[in-house]
């Protein structure tokens, strides 16, 4: 059994991808039944698609909202929530996932770099993103300003959210753990390399059933699923333990 020792001086950066929600019944993007095996990215998840056919884009995200209904957090989400309870602001949780399973598993501070499925925003005015559970099949909803309401999702060709904060945390962390992400999509695919590029010693570990494309950026890969590995992965040492 692999464990990662977390000392009182460590700061832990966690990056999660679709794999952490796979055991909750949500499809990944590139696996055998993956979302991108059935849909063309450029037709449903790009600014060009939105300009060309917003109804089709909403059909896709409405379908995904329906698929998420009733899905529950798993032991992997809960293990990360427990780690946050132990480490507080020494842990930073960054997810590429748009589901809310980290929050529902108990995590309080989650950075959704690719947006949130159950939020929408205006494509024209600066009205902030708002909670939205609706599905839109017929009409594309309109904002009071006349703009169109779009999913609060970072599409291909757009800039992910909260990058300043994310790169600050990458510079500060001493441990980076990536879970269930294929290492193919930038900028997240370069986070481990970036964290390790300075002179600091950063322990970078990957957790998942298969090696990611950026395997060489990690000093260790722990083979297994999120629910198998995460509940026993972290050994948090307290000040008292350090003093003994
Ligand atoms: P991918 O579908 O590319 O990769 C999922 C990873 O999860 C694979 O490496 C699997 O081996 C792993 N995996 C599968 N089951 C697992 C389990 N039970 N436990 C742990 N790992 C498991 O998904 P992402 O890397 O998250 O972006 O994709 C990154 C981005 O590409 C997504 O955020 C999305 C997508 O296009 C946008 O939509 C902007």
């Amino acid at each position: 059994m692999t464990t990662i020792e977390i000392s009182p001086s460590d700061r832990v950066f966690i990056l999660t991808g679709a794999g952490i929600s796979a055991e909750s019944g949500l499809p990944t993007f590139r696996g055998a039944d993956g979302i991108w095996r059935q849909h063309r990215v450029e037709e449903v998840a790009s600014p060009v698609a939105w300009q060309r056919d917003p109804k089709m884009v909403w059909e896709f995200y409405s379908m995904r909202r329906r698929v998420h209904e009733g899905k529950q957090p798993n032991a992997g989400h809960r293990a990360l929530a427990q780690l946050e309870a132990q480490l507080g602001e020494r842990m930073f949780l960054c997810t590429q996932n748009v589901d809310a399973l980290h929050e529902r598993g108990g995590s309080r501070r989650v950075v959704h770099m690719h947006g949130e499925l159950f939020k929408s925003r205006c494509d024209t005015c600066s009205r902030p993103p708002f909670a939205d559970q609706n599905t839109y099949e017929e009409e594309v909803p309109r904002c009071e300003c006349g703009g169109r309401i779009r999913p609060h999702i970072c599409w291909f060709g757009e800039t992910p959210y909260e990058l300043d904060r994310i790169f600050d945390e990458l510079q500060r962390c001493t441990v980076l753990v990536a879970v269930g992400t294929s290492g193919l999509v930038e900028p997240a695919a370069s986070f481990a390399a970036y964290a390790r590029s300075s002179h600091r010693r950063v322990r970078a570990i990957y957790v998942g059933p298969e090696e990611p494309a950026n395997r060489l950026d990690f000093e260790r890969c722990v083979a297994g699923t999120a629910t198998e590995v995460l509940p026993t992965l972290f050994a948090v040492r307290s000040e008292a333990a350090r003093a003994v």
Side-chain angles (χ1 to χ4, degrees), residues 4 6 9-17 80 83 87-96 109-113 161-179 181 187-196 200 202-207 218 230 233-234:
I4 302 171
I6 310 291
S9 57
D10 279 322
R11 295 190 69 88
V12 181
F13 187 110
I14 308 274
L15 171 69
T16 63
L80 294 180
L83 186 65
L87 298 181
E89 61 88 40
R90 287 195 293 130
M91 170 173 155
F92 186 78
L93 175 55
C94 174
T95 186
Q96 296 165 91
R109 293 188 305 268
V110 186
V111 170
H112 285 272
M113 63 179 290
Y161 311 126
E162 307 215 43
L163 286 183
D164 288 349
R165 225 175 122 199
I166 290 169
F167 279 96
D168 277 353
E169 292 291 339
L170 285 168
Q171 283 175 358
R172 297 169 79 196
C173 72
T174 56
V175 177
L176 182 147
V177 180
V179 184
T181 174
S190 295
F191 285 177
Y194 180 82
R196 299 180 81 193
R200 296 169 308 134
V202 177
R203 286 175 284 159
I205 296 103
Y206 179 79
V207 175
F218 296 91
L230 292 179
L233 186 62
F234 302 100

Side-chain angles (χ1 to χ4, degrees), residues 4 25 35 45 58 70 82 85 117-118 174 176-177 209 222 226 231 239:
I4 302 171
I35 293 168
W58 262 122
Q82 200 189 340
L117 183 61
F118 289 100
T174 56
L176 182 147
V177 180
V222 184
E239 285 291 346

Side-chain angles (χ1 to χ4, degrees), residues 17-28 74 77 97 99 101 225-227:
I20 195 167
S21 296
E23 290 164 281
S24 293
L26 290 175
T28 62
N74 63 48
H77 298 105
N97 298 346
D99 66 55
L101 295 181
T225 70
T227 67

Side-chain angles (χ1 to χ4, degrees), residues 16-20 22-23 28-31 36 41 45 61 64 96-97 114 153-156 179-185 206-212 224-227:
T16 63
I20 195 167
E23 290 164 281
T28 62
F29 290 93
R30 297 173 182 82
W36 297 149
V41 179
Y61 285 100
R64 292 197 46 204
Q96 296 165 91
N97 298 346
H114 289 166
I153 299 282
C154 172
W155 288 324
F156 282 85
V179 184
T181 174
S182 54
L184 288 165
V185 176
Y206 179 79
V207 175
E210 56 201 357
E211 291 192 346
T225 70
T227 67

